[in-house]
Amino acid sequence: MRRADRLFQIVQHLRGGRLTTAADLAERLEVSPRTIYRDVADLMANGVPIDGEAGLGYMMRDGYDLPPLMFTRAEVTALVAGARLIRAWGGAAMALGAENALDKIETILPADALQKARSVHVYAIAPDGMNDVLRRRLDAMEEHIAASERLELSYRDKTGAPTERIVRPLGVWFWGQVWTLVAWCELRNDFRMFRVDRVEEMSVQGRFDAESGKTLSDFLTCEVDKMPNFERGGAPHETVR
């Protein structure tokens, strides 16, 4: 959980007007009591009216609420359109997350912003190739990237030739037509891009640690500026060599 999300959750738990201990908050948010002490101290220093102290518990004075989210028309359009695109083109968990995010946004927007959100006429329709297998694969890749887990891929290139690779997954990129996995290929000892719809099987091969020269930032520095492996205006050429 991001720290900003955790601070928001602390405020929500304390709004009930009951004395709540740091241990209870720590258990709910799956962090240490020391983290809660630090977070509550920061909230109090920034004017959130929390009473109490470490070892006794905390409670919030009545009448405090978080200010409503304020968005411009362009920001609301971007949020709604982006969520709809992910719902149509993303993984299964991504699509559900986008749906839930739209519901949450609507519940906290003030009336004028809510009207803006409901008047956004940007839509996306999932293509025939966006099936459940591909959606689950995207979700799994995102999880493996977040966990820094090496993957063994069974893959077919654009000619249909099979190949087996062990890679360090770094990111998934959407090109308007296809998703690609950006990875460090241990066979080629270089960066490679794999079309997600051509991955036939994948399995976890243990964790990896970030190494200089093998990170997503290194890929961006080395590859994107030169653009040698991309079709401008379309999907990338495969870099499975």
Side-chain angles (χ1 to χ4, degrees):
M1 179 185 295
R2 297 182 308 163
R3 185 165 188 264
D5 295 331
R6 189 173 68 247
L7 294 175
F8 178 83
Q9 290 297 325
I10 290 173
V11 170
Q12 298 310 303
H13 286 308
L14 295 179
R15 284 174 61 189
R18 296 186 300 274
L19 191 68
T20 305
T21 66
D24 184 38
L25 289 171
E27 181 179 357
R28 294 184 186 185
L29 301 178
E30 299 181 344
V31 295
S32 68
R34 183 185 296 274
T35 297
I36 297 297
Y37 295 146
R38 184 172 62 250
D39 288 347
V40 171
D42 288 345
L43 288 169
M44 295 172 70
N46 283 279
V48 179
I50 297 173
D51 292 325
E53 59 183 273
L56 296 178
Y58 303 100
M59 62 184 301
M60 185 175 296
R61 294 194 291 274
D62 291 338
Y64 180 78
D65 202 355
L66 294 173
L69 290 178
M70 300 302 294
F71 295 109
T72 66
R73 168 72 190 187
E75 290 169 343
V76 169
T77 300
L79 289 170
V80 174
R84 288 174 179 171
L85 285 168
I86 287 295
R87 187 168 56 188
W89 290 83
M94 296 180 196
L96 179 60
E99 186 73 36
N100 291 339
L102 285 174
D103 290 341
K104 288 181 179 179
I105 288 171
E106 286 201 358
T107 62
I108 59 178
L109 286 176
D112 58 337
L114 179 59
Q115 181 59 37
K116 294 175 187 175
R118 290 176 174 173
S119 64
V120 174
H121 299 300
V122 179
Y123 302 97
I125 299 175
D128 292 338
M130 200 67 210
N131 54 45
D132 290 341
V133 172
L134 183 55
R135 288 185 184 276
R136 289 194 297 269
R137 188 176 300 145
L138 277 170
D139 288 335
M141 285 182 173
E142 193 278 328
E143 291 175 0
H144 297 317
I145 292 166
S148 298
E149 293 176 330
R150 296 161 66 245
L151 297 174
E152 181 175 2
L153 304 181
S154 296
Y155 188 81
R156 289 190 179 273
D157 65 18
K158 60 185 177 183
T159 69
T163 184
E164 300 287 330
R165 301 294 177 90
I166 294 180
V167 304
R168 300 180 179 193
L170 303 174
V172 285
W173 289 17
F174 181 60
W175 296 85
Q177 297 175 346
V178 297
W179 287 90
T180 60
L181 172 69
V182 177
W184 177 265
C185 178
E186 296 189 354
L187 176 65
R188 301 304 185 190
N189 198 36
D190 201 356
F191 295 108
R192 290 291 186 267
M193 298 182 69
F194 302 86
R195 278 185 49 160
V196 175
D197 58 344
R198 290 178 180 157
V199 174
E200 297 185 335
E201 300 288 343
M202 65 181 185
S203 59
V204 176
Q205 299 296 313
R207 297 189 72 258
F208 66 89
D209 295 321
E211 294 183 40
S212 178
K214 301 180 182 180
T215 67
L216 184 60
S217 295
D218 295 317
F219 170 80
L220 294 172
T221 299
C222 296
E223 297 290 330
V224 174
D225 289 342
K226 295 184 294 184
M227 299 292 282
N229 299 318
F230 299 82
E231 296 174 359
R232 296 181 183 275
H237 288 298
E238 288 181 293
T239 57
V240 184
R241 298 189 294 272

